Amino acid sequence: MTEVVVDGKTLSYDDVVAVARHSAHVALADEVLPRLERERAVVDDVVDHQVPTYGLTTGLGTRSSYALPRDELELFSVRTVRGRANAVGDPLPASVVRAALLARVNGIAGGGSGVRPEIPRLLIDMLNSRLHPVIPEVGSIGASDLCQMAHVGLVVIGEGSAEVGGEVVDGATALRRAGLTPAELGPKDGHVLCSASPLAAGQGALALHEAAAVLTLAQAVTALTYEGFRANTSPLGARVLGLRPAPGQSRAAGELLALLDGGELGDPRHARRVQDPVSLRCAAQVHGALHATLDFADDALAPELNGSGDNPVILAGTGEILSSGNFHTPALALAFDTLALALTQIASISAERMRRLLDPSVSGLPANLSPYGPERSGFAPLVKTAQALVAEIRMLSAPVSTDSRHGADAVEDDSTNAALGARRLTPMLTHLRQLLAVEAVVAAQAVDLAAPSVLGRGPDVLHRAIRKVVPRLDDDRPHGVDVETVNRDILGSDDVRRTLRALVEGSS
């Protein structure tokens, strides 16, 4: 098992995935605890002098003008957690909970929260003990993930519910089974446990990591379709693309050519047609747009994953506590919306490429890729499944950052829905991978019927892998099980993904 060292500044998507998958232990960097202690000293000083400070010596939201009695500050932290644990719905998967906990610990480690050092240490112990608070899936409007992260706070104080050892029990029992002790909350601690956007950041990191992998899969499946269709690769040439250098398209084209390297199609003279349908001819433009979108999303997510989303923030160097708007995530929400739209474009042209392979007037292959001709259905009914998957993806692509919403009246009058924007990416990516599996199954049959003398390295990897688990189509048979097998055993295989990634990285 590897170790992810949390320092508040360098957490990567790979780190988040490793912790989410239980394949990494978590530790605090040496410099973190002294930093937290210095910040906590500022909090203690403000409390001792009863300086009016939002959420520390005053109430929250519309009650920010209310001065809290000194002897109620600790109880106010507990009430803050209890009063905000209002999420509903099915529990989030353990992987998402782990990603969120890691993101919150990293945000605290970077500075600015003023929390007692015992709190992040307990959160790390929970991660390393595989103790997962039960967090319902609905409750964040993107003005911090308050109503969901409060469920983490409940477990921290020995309340709420958590999963440990495969069983959901109350928070106190879960901590006891893990050999841990509930925390005593001091002033501000309850607010810190609920603050920032760790669900949006953690789930967003998982989604971006998977989206990058799915883009590589889409490139490889497209290259397999190119081989079966005997596509014209001249639109992928640098001289052509250089005349209008749209974002990402040259990178996508280079990756497609790298996957096709070693086959015949690198030379456009081997193409069947002088001009192919848009779904093949413009794959680099559409896939390149996803490359550009992932870059945009990375720029928006990296500061959230490695920054402070607390309000107010503590500046230990000057002893100040300042009001902050760093919890607000409009760029992140916009990035997730843009990514959803880009994934929908990828889905649309995948379904269209698959349809082109079935049309003998365009593909030059037998109708519906059945070797028996029109008296067999071949892959024709699978078009409906592909279109159903596109419809599912398109439905989930609706922007959520533009919804009208507010929190506390007259104070919290804008929010972003960033957590929802991240959460819907997971089913989108699931459906997109299923759709790419549909195209891959059909493209493998097209390659069998076209019988090129040699395949490019990427298509050869995919074709060989598919034929190990799914035989070529002879007479009509159910295709759903074949699609699921390819999706699970090939497109979901870490080995296949690493092999394809190595091939496309050869283009950079």
Side-chain angles (χ1 to χ4, degrees), residues 29-246:
D30 292 340
E31 70 272 15
V32 171
L33 287 179
R35 179 189 303 142
L36 298 183
E37 289 166 355
R38 291 192 297 271
E39 292 176 355
R40 188 63 188 185
V42 176
V43 171
D44 292 340
D45 186 64
V46 165
V47 169
D48 289 342
H49 292 87
Q50 280 292 281
V51 178
T53 305
Y54 178 75
L56 179 52
T57 59
T58 77
L60 296 166
T62 57
R63 297 166 299 284
S64 59
S65 60
Y66 174 72
L68 297 168
R70 172 65 183 86
D71 60 357
E72 288 194 12
L73 295 185
E74 287 79 6
L75 183 56
F76 180 72
S77 261
V78 174
R79 287 172 176 160
T80 296
V81 169
R82 288 174 177 162
R84 282 157 183 76
N86 302 317
V88 297
D90 293 333
L92 290 169
S95 59
V96 174
V97 174
R98 293 180 64 80
L101 289 177
L102 181 64
R104 189 64 192 117
V105 169
N106 195 58
I108 290 172
S113 74
V115 75
R116 293 170 67 235
E118 291 83 352
I119 301 299
R121 285 191 298 202
L122 178 55
L123 293 176
I124 286 178
D125 287 341
M126 289 163 58
L127 280 169
N128 291 335
S129 300
R130 301 192 178 187
L131 187 161
H132 310 128
V134 173
I135 305 177
E137 64 182 352
V138 179
S140 175
I141 59 173
S144 290
D145 298 325
L146 292 168
C147 291
Q148 290 177 283
M149 290 306 294
H151 289 265
V152 174
L154 286 179
V155 176
V156 165
I157 63 175
E159 300 179 10
S161 299
E163 179 268 323
V164 62
E167 183 181 1
V168 175
V169 294
D170 64 87
T173 300
L175 289 171
R176 185 173 64 253
R177 288 185 180 179
L180 304 174
T181 303
E184 300 252 344
L185 300 187
K188 200 178 189 293
D189 293 341
H191 192 203
V192 172
L193 282 165
C194 302
S195 289
S197 302
L199 272 172
Q203 192 157 21
L206 296 177
L208 262 64
H209 186 275
E210 179 65 8
V214 168
L215 175 53
T216 298
L217 296 175
Q219 293 276 70
V221 172
T222 300
L224 186 64
T225 294
Y226 268 48
E227 293 281 11
F229 195 85
R230 311 310 292 156
N232 190 330
T233 58
S234 65
L236 304 178
R239 292 178 300 167
V240 174
L241 298 178
L243 295 173
R244 194 215 60 175

Side-chain angles (χ1 to χ4, degrees), residues 415-476:
S415 55
T416 68
N417 280 334
L420 173 59
R423 178 160 57 88
R424 58 75 190 275
L425 292 173
T426 297
M428 290 188 76
L429 288 163
T430 298
H431 291 318
L432 179 53
R433 212 175 80 183
Q434 290 170 324
L435 181 59
L436 291 171
V438 170
E439 182 184 355
V441 168
V442 174
Q445 179 81 358
V447 166
D448 290 335
L449 295 174
S453 59
V454 60
L455 293 176
R457 287 197 287 267
D460 186 60
V461 167
L462 266 189
H463 188 264
R464 287 176 182 271
I466 291 169
R467 284 295 169 255
K468 286 181 180 178
V469 295
V470 173
R472 63 181 290 169
L473 180 67
D474 185 15
D475 207 345
D476 288 348

Side-chain angles (χ1 to χ4, degrees), residues 257-414:
L257 290 173
L259 289 162
L260 291 167
D261 187 45
E264 299 174 341
L265 292 184
D267 184 345
R269 290 175 295 183
H270 288 289
R272 284 188 308 104
R273 303 161 59 98
V274 295
Q275 180 150 288
D276 292 330
V278 168
S279 57
L280 286 95
R281 186 175 6 127
C282 299
Q285 282 74 19
V286 176
H287 293 186
L290 179 52
H291 267 309
T293 301
L294 286 170
D295 290 341
F296 170 44
D298 179 69
D299 288 342
L301 181 55
E304 192 64 38
L305 200 59
N306 287 288
S308 171
D310 286 280
N311 175 45
V313 292
I314 284 74
L315 304 180
T318 61
E320 295 176 280
I321 300 183
L322 302 178
S323 178
S324 165
N326 287 345
F327 61 87
H328 205 40
T329 53
L332 186 61
L334 182 60
F336 291 153
D337 277 351
T338 306
L339 179 55
L341 293 170
L343 293 173
T344 304
Q345 288 192 333
I346 298 290
S348 295
I349 66 165
S350 172
E352 290 308 308
R353 283 193 302 267
M354 177 261 201
R355 289 179 61 197
R356 298 294 82 76
L357 288 173
L358 303 183
D359 185 347
S361 67
V362 180
S363 70
L365 298 170
N368 302 319
L369 300 186
S370 169
Y372 290 108
E375 68 272 17
R376 301 293 198 282
S377 296
F379 289 97
L382 202 52
V383 171
K384 295 179 176 63
T385 302
Q387 291 300 322
L389 287 166
V390 172
E392 295 271 355
I393 293 167
R394 187 182 297 116
M395 176 184 66
L396 290 166
S397 72
V400 299
S401 62
T402 55
D403 287 351
S404 176
R405 66 268 150 189
H406 66 273
D409 289 343
V411 178
E412 297 168 3
D413 54 356
D414 190 48

